[in-house]
């Protein structure tokens, strides 16, 4: 595989700028005074065409910006509902590392689906470097996703997460030992977490065949290698019905 030259790589400032513009579009009147959303969207389109290798997906990307805004609104509401320490939506948007990482993930995921993998990883790493939360842009994450504290969270590429899921600091949603390396590319290597699951601090869940059923609670420090049925608690690797 050939390394790209400097001139072939997307400009990282442009990537940062498109993230900021999408932020302005998703949160009008929040980060700067009275932005015209139509003008912001046109600016997003111009930057998109500068950084991508194939601009034929522009209309698809622009359409998905509205989906991002709606998903982030649901995430924000779920954060406020889930954390009694939060005093306002403003506090969450401006100061919560978990919300920042989800915001970057939702943008990066669109680029990932369009096979703009490098741009997607750069966007996800912008958040990772600031928050200590590592969400691969290939993961599929539903609406109303809550990350509390967040430092040390790792969510792998083929992870699938449902709606109304809560995850605390130090959680790993990872793959089992990858002794076969690149031959596993494209295969499901990371777990599936269904709706209304809570995963407490420093729990680790591994394996592409591992499914955490809906309404399940995974206790702190657990290591989970097998699927868990719905409506169960996993505490110190032992199961107890709710």
């Amino acid at each position: 595989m050939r390394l790209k030259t400097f001139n072939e790589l997307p400009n990282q400032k442009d990537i940062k700028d498109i993230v900021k513009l999408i932020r302005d579009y998703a949160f009008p009147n929040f980060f700067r005074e009275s932005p015209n959303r139509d003008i912001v969207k046109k600016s997003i389109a111009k930057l998109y065409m500068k950084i991508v290798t194939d601009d034929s997906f522009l209309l698809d990307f622009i359409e998905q910006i509205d989906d991002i805004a709606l998903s982030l609104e649901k995430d924000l509401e779920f954060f406020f509902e889930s954390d009694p320490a939060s005093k306002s939506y403003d506090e969450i948007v401006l100061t919560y590392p978990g919300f920042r990482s989800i915001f970057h993930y939702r943008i990066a995921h669109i680029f990932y689906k369009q096979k703009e993998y490098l741009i997607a990883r750069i966007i996800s790493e912008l958040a990772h470097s600031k928050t200590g939360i590592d969400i691969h842009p290939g993961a599929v994450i539903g609406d109303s996703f809550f990350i509390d504290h967040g430092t040390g969270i790792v969510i792998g590429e083929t992870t699938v997460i449902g709606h109304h899921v809560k995850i605390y600091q130090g959680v790993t949603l990872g793959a089992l030992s990858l002794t076969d390396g690149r031959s596993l590319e494209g295969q499901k290597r990371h777990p599936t977490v269904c709706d209304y699951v809570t995963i407490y601090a420093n729990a680790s869940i591994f394996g592409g065949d591992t499914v955490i059923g809906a309404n399940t609670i995974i206790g702190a420090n657990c290591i989970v290698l097998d699927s868990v049925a719905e409506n169960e608690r996993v505490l110190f690797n032992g199961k107890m019905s709710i």
Side-chain angles (χ1 to χ4, degrees):
M1 180 179 292
R2 182 181 68 86
L3 289 174
K4 291 184 177 181
T5 66
F6 176 79
N7 290 330
E8 293 175 310
L9 293 170
N11 185 292
Q12 293 202 36
K13 182 181 183 302
D14 289 338
I15 294 174
K16 291 179 181 179
D17 286 344
I18 200 170
V19 170
K20 290 178 181 178
L21 285 169
I22 294 171
R23 179 198 66 186
D24 290 341
Y25 185 82
F27 302 103
N29 304 312
F30 192 90
F31 289 95
R32 59 191 180 102
E33 186 176 355
S34 301
N36 183 303
R37 295 188 89 199
D38 290 333
I39 293 176
V40 173
K41 189 174 277 190
K42 289 178 181 177
S43 299
I44 291 170
K46 288 180 181 178
L47 272 179
Y48 177 88
M49 289 187 289
K50 281 185 66 177
I51 63 177
V52 299
T53 56
D54 180 2
D55 61 10
S56 64
F57 293 105
L58 172 61
L59 291 179
D60 173 70
F61 184 84
I62 294 300
E63 288 176 0
Q64 291 192 67
I65 290 175
D66 290 316
D67 295 333
I68 284 178
L70 182 59
S71 290
L72 288 169
E73 183 179 328
K74 293 177 181 178
D75 294 329
L76 186 57
E77 291 173 355
F78 194 50
F79 263 75
F80 189 75
E81 292 169 3
S82 300
D83 185 4
S86 63
K87 307 306 181 188
S88 66
Y89 284 2
D90 296 351
E91 179 186 8
I92 294 167
V93 173
L94 286 173
T95 70
Y96 275 44
F99 189 79
R100 180 173 185 167
S101 66
I102 293 168
F103 169 70
H104 278 74
Y105 156 77
R106 296 213 182 276
I107 300 170
H109 185 61
I110 297 178
F111 282 104
Y112 183 89
K113 289 190 295 182
Q114 294 185 346
K115 299 184 178 180
E116 295 287 348
Y117 300 125
L118 179 58
I119 296 172
R121 284 306 295 264
I122 290 172
I123 292 172
S124 66
E125 286 304 313
L126 289 173
H128 183 199
S129 64
K130 296 292 186 181
T131 66
I133 300 167
D134 185 2
I135 306 177
H136 195 285
V140 177
I141 301 176
D143 290 331
S144 301
F145 183 45
F146 173 66
I147 291 175
D148 201 10
H149 306 297
T151 304
I153 285 176
V154 177
I155 300 176
E157 179 185 25
T158 63
T159 302
V160 176
I161 297 175
H163 306 298
H164 294 91
V165 170
K166 300 179 183 181
I167 294 182
Y168 290 78
Q169 68 272 17
V171 166
T172 296
L173 302 179
L176 294 168
S177 179
L178 300 179
T179 54
D180 295 327
R182 294 214 56 81
S183 65
L184 298 175
E185 182 181 10
Q187 296 184 30
K188 182 80 164 67
R189 308 182 304 279
H190 305 90
T192 296
V193 177
C194 297
D195 299 344
Y196 296 97
V197 169
T198 298
I199 306 173
Y200 284 106
N202 300 312
S204 297
I205 305 172
F206 296 105
D209 295 328
T210 302
V211 177
I212 306 302
N215 301 300
T216 291
I217 295 174
I218 306 296
N221 300 308
C222 289
I223 298 176
V224 180
L225 304 178
D226 299 306
S227 293
V228 178
E230 297 181 357
N231 303 311
E232 290 198 351
R233 294 181 182 179
V234 178
L235 304 174
F236 301 109
N237 300 320
K239 296 180 183 178
M240 181 177 68
S241 297
I242 293 175

